[in-house]
């Protein structure tokens, strides 16, 4: 490093070195001096120099003063010494010189040209000052500063310096958390502090400036990637000798994850508090969707239940950010949005799309499907329970968006909690519904028992009074009436006993090899007189050859008769009933179809449940307890089969299909 020479060694002083007094004065201020000619060659011995450096006379005379310079410093010293000789300008060199004890010592070597009478340089005078203590102090200070900076770096993610009034950021090292500031920045406040937090940060800065105290605040900040994060910032004022702040030195730690975790915890607590008192599964879906929609500031949130063969969405509620967002309510096939998306959902994998337009996983038709409902970016989190895809939480946004890991994980947490709350509500609804159906069943049972009991009681009373001699109710007619009512009572009691056995798991099958075609034909022949008397048209299509199954004759007969009885009962006068038996893929397939009152679509899944009857005022006109289909389903499944029901709604008729595994003929 080159420093300006002090006044003690200016040109005038060197011109007067011939003076003994000046020479003594200079030598008292420096370690040693030497003299060379105008070209820098040694002219005479320099005993003080050689004593100080341990240089031999031979080395001094041949190589001059630079021979004593440390080898590592020569590349910096010698070229500058040559430059000084050519420019005839004073100069100085901070370098290490050899000591007489073969040690090295830091020195400030200063050289000055001595002009002659005509002004031309006739010789050079040099002197050196020991600055070892100064260099050691600098090294100690540098080491302390380095240690301080390392400590600050280890305890923070950012280092920064501010002007006294905080208007200018002197510099900032962001270490990938914040963008670096390498030149003074007067726009730092808007560049680093989001608008929502500027007032709060400014107030804390003003307070620290007024009190000359520590600035300490947790606040939002724009991160290096442009996203908004959180930092814990601390800055201490550096004071001058008069006690005035000359600048601020600060550190900042990235606390984004902690703040996000805190916000997540608070949000989940709020969600639990809002969902806990809700008894309706639909209200739970609506509330959860609204909360997550507002939290993520997105356009649409859907909680969808999966129905069918895991290929159809049932969407009952939406969260919509504005009236411009298209509502999505009802049943929707999943395939148009991508079969691969269905496969990912069935595997339990969350799918994240930041931009529908550019994502290469989507086909053009799949992009169109999303664009038609205003979706440009989305998160789909599936819910799998017991190996089955049962529901999905869908977050839709109308613009391209880079979803964060925290947002994605939050959607997954909300989906799980929503599903649990919905299932809890459905279980409670099911209990209430079961209790209601039980009450309805008991009332219906009382009605069904009262009618035949009334007939029996009244008939017996008439017989007691007339002895069976009344021409309006002769004995044979009375017996026929009573037998019919007794049969009805026995049937009701048998059904009740069968249900009781089913609930207790006491139903046993007496399996045998039997011709199911013949069994169906016998059941039809039994039902035909009833159908004719009720003016119903019964048509059959049964195979000529036997169709063998391994079954319980009594139970399978009960199954077929119950289906035929239901068809006759719920078909209007002059209606039609079709019975068809075929063999398909190793199964005997029995179809009983009618053009009667039909079944509402929302009751198809519940028609086989205990105590459930079709909710229609017209069904109340038909007698029965509504136990028949429960028995049918249980008996069929105990035979290794299954049952399906189809109906397009009220007044469209219905069709029941039974599948029973066939066995080969002997």
């Amino acid at each position: 490093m080159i420093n300006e020479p002090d006044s003690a060694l200016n040109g005038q002083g060197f011109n007067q070195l011939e003076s003994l007094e000046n020479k003594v004065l200079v030598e008292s201020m420096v370690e040693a001096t030497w003299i060379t000619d105008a070209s820098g060659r040694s002219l005479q011995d320099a005993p003080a120099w050689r004593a100080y450096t341990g240089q031999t006379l031979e080395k001094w005379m041949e190589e001059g003063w630079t021979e004593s310079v440390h080898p590592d410093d020569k590349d910096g010293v010698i070229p500058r010494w040559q430059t000084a000789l050519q420019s005839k300008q004073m100069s100085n060199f901070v370098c290490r010189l050899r000591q007489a004890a073969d040690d090295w010592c830091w020195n400030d070597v200063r050289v000055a040209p001595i002009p002659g009478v005509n002004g031309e340089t006739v010789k050079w005078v040099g002197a050196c000052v020991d600055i070892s203590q100064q260099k050691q102090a600098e090294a100690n200070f540098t080491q302390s500063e380095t240690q301080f900076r390392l400590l600050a770096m280890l305890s923070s993610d950012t280092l920064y310096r501010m002007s006294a009034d905080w208007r200018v950021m002197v510099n900032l090292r962001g270490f990938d958390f914040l963008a670096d500031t390498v030149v003074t920045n007067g726009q730092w406040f808007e560049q680093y502090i989001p608008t929502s937090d500027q007032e709060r940060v400014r107030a804390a800065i003003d307070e620290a400036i007024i009190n000359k105290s520590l600035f300490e605040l947790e606040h939002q900040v724009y991160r290096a990637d442009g996203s908004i994060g959180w930092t814990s910032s601390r800055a201490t004022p550096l004071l001058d000798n008069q006690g005035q702040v000359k600048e601020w030195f600060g550190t900042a730690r990235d606390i984004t994850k902690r703040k996000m975790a805190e916000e997540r915890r608070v949000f989940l607590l709020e969600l639990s508090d809002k969902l806990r008192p809700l008894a309706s599964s639909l209200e739970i879906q609506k509330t959860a969707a609204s909360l997550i929609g507002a939290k993520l500031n997105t356009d649409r949130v859907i909680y969808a239940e999966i129905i069918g063969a895991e290929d159809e969405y049932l969407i009952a509620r939406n969260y919509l950010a504005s009236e411009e967002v298209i509502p999505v309510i009802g049943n929707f096939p999943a395939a148009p949005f991508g079969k691969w998306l269905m496969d990912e959902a069935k595997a339990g994998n969350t799918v994240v799309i930041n931009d529908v337009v550019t994502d290469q996983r989507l086909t053009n038709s799949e992009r169109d499907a999303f664009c038609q409902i205003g979706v440009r970016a989305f998160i789909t989190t599936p819910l799998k329970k017991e190996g089955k895809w049962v529901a999905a939480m869908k977050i839709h946004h109308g613009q391209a968006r880079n979803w964060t890991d925290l947002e994605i994980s939050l959607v997954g947490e909300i989906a799980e909690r929503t599903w649990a709350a919905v299932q809890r509500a459905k279980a409670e609804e099911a209990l209430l519904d079961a209790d209601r159906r039980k009450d309805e069943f008991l009332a219906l049972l009382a009605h069904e028992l009262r009618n035949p009991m009334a007939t029996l009681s009244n008939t017996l009373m008439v017989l007691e009074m007339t002895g069976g001699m009344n021409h309006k109710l002769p004995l044979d007619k009375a017996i026929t009436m009573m037998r019919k009512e007794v049969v009805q009572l026995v049937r009701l009691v048998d059904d009740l006993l069968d249900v009781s056995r089913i609930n207790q798991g006491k139903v046993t099958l007496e399996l045998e090899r039997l011709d199911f075609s013949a069994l169906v034909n016998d059941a039809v022949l039994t039902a035909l007189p009833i159908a004719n008397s009720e003016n119903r048209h019964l048509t059959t299509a049964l195979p000529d050859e036997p169709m063998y199954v391994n079954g319980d004759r009594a139970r399978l007969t009960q199954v077929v008769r119950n289906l035929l009885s239901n068809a006759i009962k719920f078909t209007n006068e002059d209606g039609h009933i079709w019975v068809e038996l075929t063999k398909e893929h190793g199964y005997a397939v029995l179809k009983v179809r009618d053009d009667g009152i039909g079944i509402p679509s929302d009751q198809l899944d519940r028609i086989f449940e205990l105590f459930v009857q079709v909710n229609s005022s017209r069904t109340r006109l038909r007698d029965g307890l509504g136990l028949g289909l429960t028995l049918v389903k249980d008996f069929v499944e105990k035979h290794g089969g299954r049952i399906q029901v189809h109906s397009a709604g009220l007044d469209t008729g219905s069709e029941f299909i039974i599948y029973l595994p066939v066995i080969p003929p002997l």
Side-chain angles (χ1 to χ4, degrees):
M1 134 178 119
I2 299 176
N3 300 319
E4 291 295 329
D6 57 33
S7 58
L9 292 175
N10 60 25
Q12 181 180 0
F14 279 116
N15 287 334
Q16 298 174 356
L17 279 178
E18 300 294 336
S19 164
L20 178 61
E21 292 84 356
N22 285 339
K23 191 171 183 180
V24 171
L25 176 63
V26 170
E27 289 181 349
S28 68
M29 297 174 60
V30 300
E31 312 303 331
T33 60
W34 45 259
I35 299 175
T36 69
D37 63 13
S39 65
R41 291 191 327 166
S42 301
L43 291 175
Q44 61 190 46
D45 190 11
W49 171 265
R50 291 194 301 104
Y52 180 65
T53 63
Q55 192 175 20
T56 64
L57 177 62
E58 183 181 6
K59 290 287 186 181
W60 163 251
M61 297 302 296
E62 291 180 359
E63 301 183 38
W65 69 275
T66 58
E67 189 273 336
S68 296
V69 175
H70 193 285
D72 292 344
D73 297 342
K74 284 185 177 181
D75 288 344
V77 170
I78 293 176
R80 289 169 56 204
W81 167 232
Q82 296 298 327
T83 300
L85 291 172
Q86 294 173 7
S87 64
K88 300 179 176 59
Q89 295 292 323
M90 288 186 297
S91 185
N92 77 306
F93 317 96
V94 175
C95 60
R96 286 165 291 182
L97 296 178
R98 184 176 53 246
Q99 302 292 285
D102 288 332
D103 198 3
W104 299 94
C105 178
W106 282 99
N107 279 261
D108 183 3
V109 180
R110 303 193 176 198
V111 296
I114 305 299
V117 177
N118 58 2
E120 291 293 324
T121 298
V122 294
K123 55 185 173 183
W124 286 80
V125 174
C128 64
V129 178
D130 186 345
I131 59 172
S132 299
Q133 293 183 351
Q134 176 185 339
K135 293 296 287 185
Q136 184 62 45
E138 290 177 358
N140 292 340
F141 177 80
T142 301
Q143 182 180 15
S144 297
E145 184 179 31
T146 301
Q147 290 174 344
F148 175 75
R149 287 184 174 272
L150 286 174
L151 181 61
M153 289 169 59
L154 290 173
S155 61
S156 63
D157 298 294
T158 295
L159 302 174
Y160 62 88
R161 290 171 58 203
M162 293 291 185
S163 63
D165 59 4
W166 284 73
R167 292 185 179 180
V168 175
M169 177 180 284
V170 180
N171 58 49
L172 182 147
R173 288 286 306 278
F175 300 105
D176 297 327
F177 170 44
L178 304 179
D180 290 341
T181 286
V182 294
V183 296
T184 55
N185 183 357
Q187 305 298 319
W188 71 270
F189 197 71
E190 292 74 17
Q191 178 182 343
Y192 287 100
I193 311 300
T195 304
S196 59
D197 247 8
Q198 287 183 3
E199 182 178 350
R200 195 165 63 90
V201 174
R202 176 56 65 192
I205 291 174
D206 292 343
E207 182 179 357
I209 291 174
I210 293 172
N211 298 324
K212 300 179 184 178
S213 61
L214 178 70
F215 166 81
E216 187 170 18
L217 188 67
E218 292 184 354
H219 61 86
Q220 290 182 311
V221 65
Y222 287 118
R223 295 190 288 186
D225 61 4
S227 64
I228 294 178
W230 281 85
T231 184
S232 175
S233 181
R234 301 181 58 169
T236 186
L238 303 181
L239 307 180
D240 59 19
N241 294 333
Q242 287 74 41
Q244 299 300 312
V245 177
K246 59 180 181 179
E247 69 174 342
W248 296 76
F249 180 79
T251 66
R253 289 187 298 110
D254 183 0
I255 60 170
T256 303
K257 289 184 177 180
R258 173 170 68 79
K259 294 296 287 188
M260 291 297 184
E262 291 174 359
E263 290 182 5
R264 176 192 182 107
R265 210 161 37 241
V266 171
F267 175 75
L268 292 176
L269 285 174
E270 179 187 6
L271 177 72
S272 297
D273 290 342
K274 291 288 181 65
L275 297 186
R276 190 178 299 111
L278 299 180
S280 167
S281 59
L282 295 180
E283 281 302 309
I284 288 172
Q285 295 178 41
K286 178 181 177 182
T287 301
S290 298
L291 286 173
I292 188 65
K295 174 68 176 176
L296 298 184
N297 192 26
T298 192
D299 294 328
R300 183 193 298 115
V301 178
I302 292 172
Y303 179 83
E305 296 182 307
I306 310 304
I307 59 177
E310 298 183 47
D311 59 358
E312 189 175 356
Y313 297 122
L314 173 59
I315 303 170
R317 293 291 185 270
N318 287 177
Y319 161 79
L320 306 176
S322 67
E323 294 181 355
E324 287 74 25
V325 181
I326 303 170
V328 180
I329 301 289
N331 290 27
F332 297 90
F337 298 95
K339 185 179 180 303
W340 69 274
L341 282 173
M342 294 172 55
D343 293 338
E344 291 290 335
K346 291 177 182 179
N349 299 325
T350 293
V351 176
V352 179
I353 299 288
N354 293 326
D355 191 347
V356 165
V357 175
T358 60
D359 198 294
Q360 297 302 309
R361 291 173 292 178
L362 295 168
T363 65
N364 290 334
S365 63
E366 292 164 0
R367 290 190 184 92
D368 292 341
F370 281 108
C371 291
Q372 285 174 5
I373 58 173
V375 177
R376 183 72 181 270
F378 66 86
I379 301 172
T380 295
T381 297
L383 288 163
K384 284 189 70 177
K385 302 299 174 183
E386 297 179 356
K388 184 178 180 182
W389 180 27
V390 295
M393 180 73 79
K394 296 176 172 292
I395 313 298
H396 291 168
H397 203 65
Q399 302 296 326
R401 174 170 176 170
N402 290 323
W403 303 101
T404 67
D405 292 340
L406 289 172
E407 289 172 336
I408 296 167
S409 65
L410 184 61
V411 173
E413 182 72 23
I414 299 302
E416 287 288 349
R417 295 193 178 210
T418 302
W419 182 85
V422 167
Q423 294 308 112
R424 182 258 304 164
K426 284 187 173 182
E428 293 175 356
E429 291 169 355
L431 287 174
L432 292 174
D433 187 52
D435 192 55
R436 176 188 58 78
R437 287 190 278 115
K438 182 189 69 175
D439 291 342
E440 291 179 354
F441 169 76
L442 292 175
L444 184 59
L445 176 61
H447 172 75
E448 291 293 329
L449 291 173
R450 185 175 61 247
N451 286 343
M453 293 297 291
T455 300
L456 289 172
S457 177
N458 291 334
T459 303
L460 284 172
M461 183 179 65
V462 171
L463 289 177
E464 288 177 351
M465 293 174 61
T466 64
M469 301 304 293
N470 190 315
H471 68 282
K472 291 183 178 180
L473 186 61
L475 183 59
D476 57 342
K477 183 177 180 181
I479 291 174
T480 300
M481 289 176 58
M482 293 173 68
R483 182 179 291 113
K484 179 180 179 181
E485 298 305 328
V486 168
V487 169
Q488 174 68 2
L489 284 172
V490 170
R491 183 180 63 80
L492 291 175
V493 172
D494 284 343
D495 282 353
L496 287 171
L497 289 174
D498 283 338
V499 169
S500 177
R501 294 189 189 99
I502 289 172
N503 287 336
Q504 297 178 42
K506 293 182 178 180
V507 174
T508 58
L509 302 181
E510 297 181 5
L511 300 177
E512 62 176 303
R513 178 186 179 85
L514 57 85
D515 182 359
F516 189 55
S517 177
L519 184 146
V520 172
N521 186 63
D522 291 343
V524 169
L525 293 176
T526 302
L528 190 57
I530 302 174
N532 291 336
S533 66
E534 297 288 339
N535 196 20
R536 310 293 195 264
H537 303 286
L538 181 57
T539 305
T540 62
L542 305 179
D544 295 330
E545 66 278 0
M547 191 177 299
Y548 292 102
V549 299
N550 190 29
D552 183 311
R553 185 177 299 275
R555 295 307 186 186
L556 290 181
T557 298
Q558 191 176 353
V559 165
V560 180
R561 285 182 178 177
N562 278 352
L563 292 180
L564 292 173
S565 176
N566 269 7
I568 294 170
K569 186 186 305 181
F570 296 109
T571 300
N572 297 319
E573 188 173 356
D574 203 31
H576 298 80
I577 301 165
W578 295 270
V579 179
E580 180 185 8
L581 179 62
T582 59
K583 182 178 179 181
E584 299 177 10
H585 308 295
Y587 282 89
V589 181
L590 175 64
K591 299 179 182 178
V592 179
R593 181 168 58 91
D594 62 65
D595 57 4
I597 65 172
I599 305 171
S601 58
D602 62 343
Q603 298 187 37
L604 284 173
D605 291 338
R606 303 177 59 240
I607 198 67
F608 297 106
E609 294 178 15
L610 189 61
F611 303 143
V612 169
Q613 286 186 315
V614 175
N615 187 18
S616 169
S617 60
R618 286 174 291 178
T619 67
R620 302 301 184 196
L621 301 177
R622 278 76 173 179
D623 60 351
L625 298 177
L627 302 177
L629 291 178
T630 301
L631 298 174
V632 166
K633 182 174 183 292
D634 186 77
F635 292 156
V636 168
E637 290 179 349
K638 278 184 166 52
H639 281 82
R642 66 182 188 276
I643 185 169
Q644 297 176 350
V645 59
H646 303 285
S647 178
L650 290 176
D651 297 320
T652 62
S654 58
E655 181 180 36
F656 289 84
I657 307 175
I658 288 175
Y659 297 85
L660 291 173
V662 298
I663 58 177
L666 294 176

